[in-house]
Amino acid sequence: MNRLPRFSGVRRVVWAYVRSAPGTYVWLAVLFFTTVALHHMSPEFEQEFLRQRSTNLHELSRHPVRVLIASAMWIDGGYWLPYAVLYSVFHAQAERWLGTWRWLTVCVAAHVLATLVSEGTLLKAIRDGMAPASSVNTLDVGVSYALAGVAAVLGYRIRTPWRWGYLAVVLAFFALPLTAGPTFTDFGHFVAALIGLGCYPLVRGRTGGRPGARNPKETRAVPPG
């Protein structure tokens, strides 16, 4: 007899958490439907479909705004559930803390700037003969750059000295792939994390668990370095 009220209470807590981060869960819902759509495509059609929405050099040179937006609406690989967990752990926490618009600014900055830096580096590598010319059509869609930036900016929410340990883990996670057979995507992830750290002006005075709330024991976030 007591199970139904208990389940109802859990449901209210979950719904309150989702409502506290609307941008995160709207984005996650879009990714769910686009992932389902990918599962109904043939492998050949899927690759061409995603390539037209990819932030590769070819598409960026022709439709930069369209592909920068479209690439963040699809997941290459078709596994949605891990992203649901990651979005709840990182994006939802950042949105609740910063507010939707500041969180979205971090996401856009990390996604767009890391894409442009990594693709610009790839273009130089092609011109220098260090990468094949066919790399201009490389498939490059997904939400991982925004996720890397948000994971990094969340470090400012943590009190020192724990902040430095968290940031060390985050930076090491994205830096280690660069030490052995790095790809331009690996480089983009590391750049995105640095961009997240560079968003310190957006988090100033926003410590604590709720957007805009101040922690009485820590009146301002301290930048690393």
Side-chain angles (χ1 to χ4, degrees), residues 179-203:
T179 64
T183 66
F184 289 97
T185 300
D186 294 330
F187 177 62
H189 287 142
F190 184 71
V191 170
L194 295 181
I195 291 168
L197 290 179
C199 290
Y200 168 71
L202 292 174
V203 310

Side-chain angles (χ1 to χ4, degrees), residues 17-215:
Y17 188 83
V18 170
R19 281 173 37 186
S20 70
T24 294
Y25 289 101
V26 167
W27 192 4
L28 199 55
V30 171
L31 291 176
F32 175 79
F33 288 112
T34 56
T35 301
V36 171
L38 286 180
H39 284 300
H40 288 81
M41 299 178 187
S42 67
E44 297 79 11
F45 181 79
E46 176 185 331
Q47 290 299 302
E48 183 58 29
F49 180 86
L50 290 178
R51 189 168 286 108
Q52 293 175 5
R53 289 151 181 80
S54 174
T55 51
N56 57 43
L57 288 169
H58 178 70
E59 294 297 334
L60 277 173
S61 67
R62 299 176 60 197
H63 313 288
V65 176
R66 178 177 67 80
V67 296
L68 282 168
I69 296 173
S71 64
M73 300 297 132
W74 301 87
I75 300 172
D76 182 24
Y79 295 101
W80 178 82
L81 189 57
Y83 286 92
V85 174
L86 292 171
Y87 268 52
S88 297
V89 171
F90 294 105
H91 279 301
Q93 287 294 316
E95 186 178 1
R96 294 178 72 215
W97 171 46
L98 295 174
T100 298
W101 290 111
R102 293 189 184 206
W103 159 78
L104 186 59
T105 299
V106 176
C107 292
V108 171
H111 175 67
V112 173
L113 296 179
T115 295
L116 295 179
V117 170
S118 62
E119 291 299 322
T121 305
L122 175 59
L123 178 59
K124 186 177 186 306
I126 293 173
R127 289 176 173 174
D128 292 345
M130 299 176 63
S134 59
S135 298
V136 298
N137 290 310
T138 302
L139 183 62
D140 186 16
V141 297
V143 298
S144 56
Y145 288 170
L147 186 59
V150 165
V153 82
L154 274 173
Y156 293 123
R157 188 184 179 191
I158 302 172
R159 293 185 186 180
T160 55
W162 313 112
R163 175 181 300 151
W164 315 123
Y166 173 86
L167 291 177
V169 170
V170 169
L171 292 177
F173 179 82
F174 293 114
L176 283 177
L178 299 177
T179 64
T183 66
F184 289 97
T185 300
D186 294 330
F187 177 62
H189 287 142
F190 184 71
V191 170
L194 295 181
I195 291 168
L197 290 179
C199 290
Y200 168 71
L202 292 174
V203 310
R204 193 172 307 196
R206 299 183 81 84
T207 57
R210 294 175 287 109
R214 286 183 174 272
N215 187 323

